[in-house]
Amino acid sequence: MNQTLFAVLIAVLVVAGIGLLIGLILAIASIVMAVPKDEKAEAVLELLPGANCGACGYSGCAGYASALSKGQAKPGACPVGGEDCTHAVEELLGVSAGEAVKKVAHVHCMGNCDNTSYKADFQGVKSCLSASRYGDISACSYGCLGFGDCVSACLSNAITVCNGVAVVDIDKCGGCGLCEQACPRKLITVAPVKEQAVVRCSNHDKGAQAKKACKAACIGCMKCMKVCEAGAITVNNFCATIDPEKCTGCGVCVENCPSKCITI
Amino acid sequence: MLIKSLVSVFLAAILTENYVLCKFLGICPFLGVSKKLNTAVGMSVAVTFVMVLATAVTFPIYQYLLVPNDLSYLQTIVFILIIAGLVQLVEIVLKKYIPSLYQSLGVYLPLITTNCAILGVTMLVLQKVETTALYTYTYGHALINALGAGIGFLVAMVMFAGVRSRLESADIPKSLQGLPITLISASLVALSFLGFSGFVDKLIPLA
């Protein structure tokens, strides 16, 4: 009996002893070889919004913060934090670098339940991605599917599906572009905030066909292109696109659009 | 005789007893980190380092602490403990002195803790001590075996990284894309290593 107890005790002591020894060595090593933390980077990280969206071009807020603290990046690359964030970072680092351009997302579709209709009743997984793989379930094969993949991708709850089409709340939108990637039909683009006209349609069918599918479709009549003084509008494959860089927001195209698919 | 046996152990660990391709240990990093050549090499170097270090520590502990006290049944748990501690130590050292390697290894360094190839190298070498009849299997043999196993891991990783870079551009049937074709090509590479069986015994006759 005693011998068994002794054997167990030895086993426990050996394992515990080795564990203790390793623990001690590790504790000493972690103190001796402690890596000094970059306090500046941590302070910058505090100021960043922490969305980790990657819109700045770094792996996340931590990556951007460390690049900022080393002077490898300029403040203002964060579209989510906007101007407030940029100013705070500038103050902390003592540098000012360029204007932070706040961006917002635009949905290029107005195919709501009043303008267009569903061709088929989709019973599958309620996501735009699976619905788009399935085929044409709505009358317009370019338009918003309305299952809200962009809604779930959005970090700031800025997107809602309203009457069958996604709508961006410009005040809430951070411009990170995650919805742009989430939309299987590539209906969402991110553009700088300013007074500008946006074509709310992505239908590339011929005018008559497009009009049949949706009342608010761009028919490619090129009227907007002709009236635009800034030369910002191009019509490709029966659908107008406006270059946000060139657009002055004068609104002439909005007045002249027969389908009323351009808004400001 | 000693030199001959050391060379034989070293070559055998790389070719005939390759831990990845012949014993199928350490498959997780073999499939996980072999996508790019530089991460594959970095991982293999880390694994080799930990293998040698782990053997250097576990072999004497087994011989001089566990066996005399009739505790050889504790080898698995003690070895796991030691390997986990060693990996932590390596991580601390790398973080301090080679941060670029530390960052490129990322999550795979902690994963070495549970890498069965390392546990396999430290434990299988103990069986060899008992089964090797032609010469006495010493501490030096064990260390050379660990080094060879690490280099064998490196060879397998680098070879497979090459195979995978060719897979990238291959026209693979849809049902086989991704992991299935990776596993099939891994099995073919393993099959090719079967050609080395008996090679070392013929090359360096010990008897």
Side-chain angles (χ1 to χ4, degrees), chain A residues 199 218-236 238-242 250-262:
Chain A
V199 181
C218 172
I219 53 174
C221 64
M222 301 195 179
K223 222 173 186 177
C224 50
M225 192 169 92
K226 284 167 198 156
V227 296
C228 182
E229 284 164 6
I233 307 182
T234 48
V235 178
N236 274 327
F238 311 101
C239 186
T241 42
I242 300 178
C250 63
V252 181
C253 52
V254 179
E255 286 159 27
N256 282 286
C257 181
S259 310
K260 305 282 170 227
C261 67
I262 305 181

Side-chain angles (χ1 to χ4, degrees), chain B residues 37-59:
Chain B
L37 191 62
N38 50 353
T39 49
V41 172
M43 179 75 184
S44 314
V45 169
V47 164
T48 310
F49 184 59
V50 175
M51 264 181 189
V52 176
L53 215 57
T55 310
V57 177
T58 53
F59 196 79

Side-chain angles (χ1 to χ4, degrees), chain B residues 81-180:
Chain B
L81 197 65
I82 289 168
I83 292 168
L86 272 177
V87 172
Q88 282 295 315
L89 195 65
V90 169
E91 204 177 339
I92 292 170
V93 172
L94 279 187
K95 204 173 179 181
K96 173 81 176 173
Y97 295 108
I98 322 172
S100 57
L101 184 62
Y102 172 76
Q103 275 186 351
S104 66
L105 286 176
V107 73
Y108 292 105
L109 195 58
L111 277 181
I112 296 179
T113 316
T114 48
N115 189 335
C116 52
I118 289 169
L119 191 64
V121 166
T122 56
M123 286 178 67
L124 291 177
V125 80
L126 302 173
Q127 286 178 12
K128 279 194 197 150
V129 175
E130 287 152 22
T131 52
T132 310
L134 293 172
Y135 53 91
T136 43
Y137 207 91
T138 59
Y139 187 48
H141 286 98
L143 287 182
I144 289 289
N145 178 60
L147 182 68
I151 290 173
F153 189 80
L154 177 86
V155 168
M157 289 282 274
V158 169
M159 270 174 51
F160 200 55
V163 171
R164 277 187 91 162
S165 69
R166 294 194 119 196
L167 277 181
E168 296 271 303
S169 55
D171 185 22
I172 301 158
K174 206 167 186 185
S175 54
L176 286 175
Q177 277 171 15
L179 204 54

Side-chain angles (χ1 to χ4, degrees), chain A residues 7-8 10-12 14-15 18-19 22 25-26 29-30 32-36, chain B residues 61 65-66 69 71 73-74 77-78 81-82 85 88-89 92-93 95-97:
Chain A
V8 170
I10 285 281
V12 169
V14 164
V15 175
I18 291 173
I22 290 173
I25 292 172
L26 283 182
S30 67
V32 172
M33 287 186 256
V35 178
Chain B
I61 282 184
L65 184 70
L66 297 187
N69 292 315
L71 291 172
Y73 63 92
L74 278 179
I77 190 161
V78 168
L81 197 65
I82 289 168
Q88 282 295 315
L89 195 65
I92 292 170
V93 172
K95 204 173 179 181
K96 173 81 176 173
Y97 295 108

Side-chain angles (χ1 to χ4, degrees), chain A residues 113-261:
Chain A
C113 296
D114 303 328
N115 289 331
T116 185
S117 56
Y118 283 103
K119 249 190 338 199
D121 186 15
F122 181 67
Q123 295 285 348
V125 182
K126 296 283 178 206
S127 95
C128 304
L129 189 62
S130 62
S132 70
R133 296 245 167 95
Y134 180 76
D136 292 345
I137 59 158
S138 50
C140 171
S141 52
Y142 298 91
C144 177
L145 291 155
F147 291 112
D149 281 12
C150 47
V151 177
S152 40
C154 186
L155 298 168
S156 41
N157 295 327
I159 310 183
T160 45
V161 173
C162 181
N163 200 10
V165 65
V167 179
V168 179
D169 184 340
I170 288 173
D171 296 330
K172 284 188 193 165
C173 177
C176 64
L178 288 174
C179 50
E180 194 179 356
Q181 293 159 20
C183 182
R185 292 198 157 168
K186 308 277 170 247
L187 294 172
I188 305 180
T189 56
V190 176
V193 184
K194 63 172 187 179
E195 279 282 289
Q196 61 174 318
V198 179
V199 181
R200 302 282 178 192
C201 182
S202 308
N203 192 314
H204 289 289
D205 284 338
K206 279 183 182 169
Q209 242 177 313
K211 200 78 194 166
K212 216 189 248 175
C214 177
K215 282 180 208 161
C218 172
I219 53 174
C221 64
M222 301 195 179
K223 222 173 186 177
C224 50
M225 192 169 92
K226 284 167 198 156
V227 296
C228 182
E229 284 164 6
I233 307 182
T234 48
V235 178
N236 274 327
N237 285 333
F238 311 101
C239 186
T241 42
I242 300 178
D243 185 353
E245 300 276 311
K246 291 183 188 162
C247 179
T248 54
C250 63
V252 181
C253 52
V254 179
E255 286 159 27
N256 282 286
C257 181
S259 310
K260 305 282 170 227
C261 67

